[in-house]
Amino acid sequence: MELLRVRAPGSLTTVQDLGRRAFLDRGVPLSGALDEYACRVANLLVGNPEAAAVLEITWAGPVLEVLATADIALTGAEMGMTINGKPAQGWRTHRVNPGDLLRMPQARSGCRAYLAVTGGIDVPAVMGSRSTFEKAKIGGLGGRRLLKGDVLGRGPGDPLTAAREMPAQWIPACEREITLRAIPGPQDDLFREGGDAFFSAVYTVTPQADRMGFRLSGPIVRRDRGAPESIVTEPTMPGNIQIPADGQPIILLVEQTSGGYAKIATVIATDLSRVAQALPGTVLRFERVGLEKAHRLYRERQQRLGELRNRFTQG
């Protein structure tokens, strides 16, 4: 069913889901929503499976004409969405009808928003995912970002019987100064002399920030004397913090599968959503944590998602 016509595409709007996880060993990146939490919640709000495809909207959003009745929800960055010129609150559902016009202007805070619709965005699955990977031109809508005139369909799904809203206390804030929790390693043994300095330093997100990774600016991270500038290329994962030859950290994200720079630490999974919402100029600090705490924080997030599922199902 045709649902949305793109009147204006925004700065970077793509179809994403939770990524293609089965092909990393063949060099195919994970892709998927950078803010996985916001993506999951958007789908829960409109009654979709959490892995349904959504629109990931970066910084300045699109103008969309509604072609069929559906429920929608916008989560993540505060975009100030309007429906026919009237403000429409984020993190809750709205019923839209043919002829309605959705506008998502420049984000007031945060960087990426996620628009979920009844039934999910309907595009062909490629290697088990609808996520867009622009560099290889696969997934999404022809492997590319949205363009003016594109028409998007939705999958099967029933409208909600009542509106749904995210509890205010569970909506994450998008801040200009954030602390990211990170586990040392896997090559922290090459930074015994510089590790403490790294975890006490202050960095800034540079304009070189995209779905592949965020390059930071700040104090140089120095290797131990005699440590190599690079390592044998090995698999990487989202959250790895690479230290290239210039000593300026790079936080890797979802569109890289391998690398030959040593990695001093890894941002824990639950904090990757905070990375996704960081604009250039955001101030970053890193807090050293252990695996036990990382696991506990992950379980707490999964428990919260479970509580949301139950709340909406029972409501």
Side-chain angles (χ1 to χ4, degrees):
M1 177 189 299
E2 292 185 347
L3 178 62
L4 299 170
R5 177 179 287 113
V6 180
R7 292 279 195 89
S11 58
L12 174 59
T13 305
T14 58
V15 178
Q16 302 292 344
D17 56 19
L18 297 184
R20 46 183 62 84
R21 301 173 183 271
F23 297 88
L24 294 171
D25 60 335
R26 278 158 276 187
V28 179
L30 176 64
S31 301
L34 285 183
D35 187 339
E36 184 178 304
Y37 181 73
C39 173
R40 287 180 180 273
V41 172
N43 275 317
L44 287 173
L45 284 167
V46 299
N48 291 341
E50 292 168 50
V54 302
L55 294 183
E56 181 179 83
I57 301 161
T58 303
W59 191 58
V63 179
L64 304 170
E65 177 188 354
V66 178
L67 304 177
T69 299
D71 292 308
I72 66 169
L74 189 73
T75 62
E78 185 184 352
M79 284 277 176
M81 178 174 69
T82 63
I83 301 175
N84 300 326
K86 297 180 180 179
Q89 181 183 335
W91 299 89
R92 62 156 295 149
T93 57
H94 301 275
R95 179 69 50 83
V96 293
N97 296 293
D100 286 346
L101 202 63
L102 312 180
R103 293 182 183 272
M104 281 145 271
Q106 181 177 320
R108 298 169 184 168
S109 66
C111 185
R112 291 173 174 85
Y114 295 84
L115 182 70
V117 303
T118 302
I121 301 295
D122 186 18
V123 294
V126 178
M127 289 180 273
S129 170
R130 292 175 169 81
S131 286
T132 307
F133 178 35
E134 276 199 291
K135 289 183 175 62
K137 296 181 172 56
I138 62 173
L141 194 65
R144 58 168 173 79
R145 64 189 65 191
L146 299 193
L147 299 175
K148 182 178 179 179
D150 285 339
V151 174
L152 296 167
R154 75 169 180 90
D158 297 322
L160 301 172
T161 56
R164 295 177 176 180
E165 185 171 354
M166 179 77 159
Q169 68 272 22
W170 288 356
I171 298 175
C174 297
E175 301 168 325
R176 295 292 287 177
E177 294 191 16
I178 59 178
T179 298
L180 299 173
R181 293 160 291 195
I183 299 172
Q187 282 89 38
D188 54 312
D189 58 317
L190 302 181
F191 301 93
R192 291 193 179 95
E193 298 174 9
D196 289 341
F198 167 77
F199 279 105
S200 62
V202 178
Y203 292 94
T204 303
V205 177
T206 73
Q208 294 175 280
D210 57 22
R211 290 176 50 80
M212 181 176 286
F214 280 29
R215 184 177 291 271
L216 309 182
S217 175
I220 292 174
V221 181
R222 303 192 183 279
R223 298 168 186 76
D224 295 345
R225 286 182 292 274
E229 286 191 356
S230 61
I231 60 172
V232 175
T233 297
E234 66 177 14
T236 61
M237 61 179 291
N240 281 160
I241 305 171
Q242 283 189 337
I243 307 299
D246 64 3
Q248 297 294 294
I250 301 171
I251 304 175
L252 302 184
L253 295 174
V254 299
E255 291 188 354
Q256 184 159 332
T257 58
S258 63
Y261 292 125
K263 296 168 284 295
I264 190 171
T266 301
V267 177
I268 66 173
T270 48
D271 279 4
L272 290 176
S273 291
R274 306 180 76 193
V275 178
Q277 297 300 343
L279 287 163
T282 299
V283 174
L284 298 183
R285 296 174 175 83
F286 295 96
E287 175 189 345
R288 182 190 281 113
V289 298
L291 195 58
E292 183 177 347
K293 183 172 183 178
H295 285 168
R296 175 173 60 80
L297 292 169
Y298 181 79
R299 288 194 298 270
E300 288 174 358
R301 189 182 72 171
Q302 295 303 104
Q303 180 180 354
R304 179 169 297 175
L305 288 168
E307 290 174 13
L308 281 173
R309 290 185 209 105
N310 293 336
R311 173 190 292 254
F312 294 150
T313 301
Q314 295 169 4

